[in-house]
Amino acid sequence: MLFTIVKKILVSFLLFALFLNCSPRLKESFSKLSKPERSWVVFHPFKAKKAYQISKEALITTDSIANTNTIGNDINGGQLDAFKHSFWMARSAQSIGKSAALGLGKAHEKGNYLTYKKRQLEDGILPDKPASDMDLFNNNVGAELGKKYKTASKSTIINYLLDAVLDGKLKMLKKDAAGNFLDCQGQILSIEALKGTWENNKCLIPTHKL
C-alpha cells in the first residue's frame, strides 16, 4: 500500500512539472498561490488548468453582475461576495467534480488564514474567521448545485444562484446601510475591535436579509 501511495505522489509531481512547463502564464499564476493552494495544484495537475480558467471566469462574471446592480456591489461580505464564491464552486464542480472543487475551496480558505497570520490583505482587507465561514458555506451550496446540474449552461447557473441569493439560501455578513459590520444584536463593531482578530463578533445572516 505504501508503494502505491508513493507511486501516486511521484506521478502527481511529474504531471505537475508538465503542467508548469506548458504555459508561462500558468507558472506565473502558480507562484502567486498560497501554500495550501499550491499543494492542491500539485496533486490535481490535470484539473488545475481547468480550475484556473474557471477562477478567471468567476471574477469576470462577478464584475458583470456587479454592473447590473441586481445584488449590489459589496464584494466584502455582501450578496455579491456570496454569489462569487457559490458561482466559482458551481462551475468548478461542473468542470472538475464536486470533491476536487471543494478541496480547492478549502485550500483557498486555509491560504486566507495564512494571509491573516502574515497580516497581509485579501481584496484590500485582512481575512477573518466569519468571512471564511461564510465562504465555506457558500462554496458548499455552489458545489452541490454544480454537481446537480452538471451540464447546465453558465447563464442557467447564474440565474439559479441569483435566485438563491435573493431567496436567502446563501450567507453574508451583517452590515448597516453605511457598510459597518454588525454583531448579531445589530451593534456596530468598531474598527479597533476587528483589527488583527481572526475570531470576532461579525454575524452571518441569510442573503435575503438586508
Side-chain angles (χ1 to χ4, degrees):
M1 184 175 178
L2 179 61
F3 174 76
T4 302
I5 294 174
V6 172
K7 183 179 178 180
K8 286 183 178 179
I9 292 174
L10 289 175
V11 169
S12 294
F13 272 95
L14 287 172
L15 292 173
F16 165 66
L18 292 173
F19 162 78
L20 286 186
N21 288 329
C22 72
S23 170
R25 183 174 296 179
L26 290 177
K27 187 173 183 179
E28 180 183 356
S29 298
F30 177 80
S31 67
K32 297 177 181 178
L33 296 176
S34 66
K35 185 176 179 180
E37 289 170 317
R38 290 183 188 182
S39 295
W40 184 92
V41 170
V42 168
F43 288 101
H44 299 83
F46 284 126
K47 296 179 178 181
K49 187 174 182 179
K50 291 180 180 179
Y52 170 70
Q53 296 298 333
I54 293 296
S55 296
K56 290 200 303 180
E57 179 190 64
L59 293 175
I60 293 170
T61 301
T62 301
D63 285 343
S64 297
I65 296 299
N67 290 332
T68 69
N69 204 34
T70 306
I71 52 174
N73 56 13
D74 184 359
I75 201 66
N76 178 18
Q79 289 179 325
L80 187 66
D81 194 3
F83 171 86
K84 180 182 74 171
H85 275 268
S86 57
F87 178 80
W88 175 41
M89 284 291 104
R91 295 291 280 169
S92 295
Q94 284 184 313
S95 179
I96 63 176
K98 178 183 175 182
S99 179
L102 287 176
L104 176 58
K106 289 177 181 178
H108 179 73
E109 296 308 319
K110 288 179 181 178
N112 281 347
Y113 180 66
L114 295 179
T115 295
Y116 156 77
K117 293 190 74 174
K118 295 177 182 177
R119 296 299 190 267
Q120 296 173 344
L121 302 180
E122 186 206 23
D123 295 330
I125 61 169
L126 196 65
D128 57 27
K129 188 176 186 299
S132 183
D133 290 343
M134 169 187 163
D135 291 345
L136 289 171
F137 181 93
N138 295 329
N139 285 353
N140 276 296
V141 174
E144 186 60 40
L145 183 71
K147 178 185 177 182
K148 183 176 181 180
Y149 299 103
K150 183 72 174 177
T151 61
S153 67
K154 173 184 171 182
S155 60
T156 298
I157 293 297
I158 289 173
N159 289 330
Y160 271 126
L161 290 174
L162 288 177
D163 286 343
V165 169
L166 298 174
D167 290 342
K169 294 178 180 178
L170 301 176
K171 298 289 187 183
M172 65 181 181
L173 295 172
K174 189 171 185 176
K175 294 183 179 182
D176 62 17
N180 297 303
F181 288 107
L182 307 175
D183 64 20
C184 291
Q185 286 70 49
Q187 299 299 309
I188 293 177
L189 297 168
S190 68
I191 295 176
E192 290 73 22
L194 297 174
K195 188 179 296 182
T197 62
W198 176 249
E199 295 193 31
N200 55 56
N201 291 325
K202 289 180 182 178
C203 185
L204 278 180
I205 59 173
T207 46
H208 67 301
K209 292 186 177 182
L210 293 174

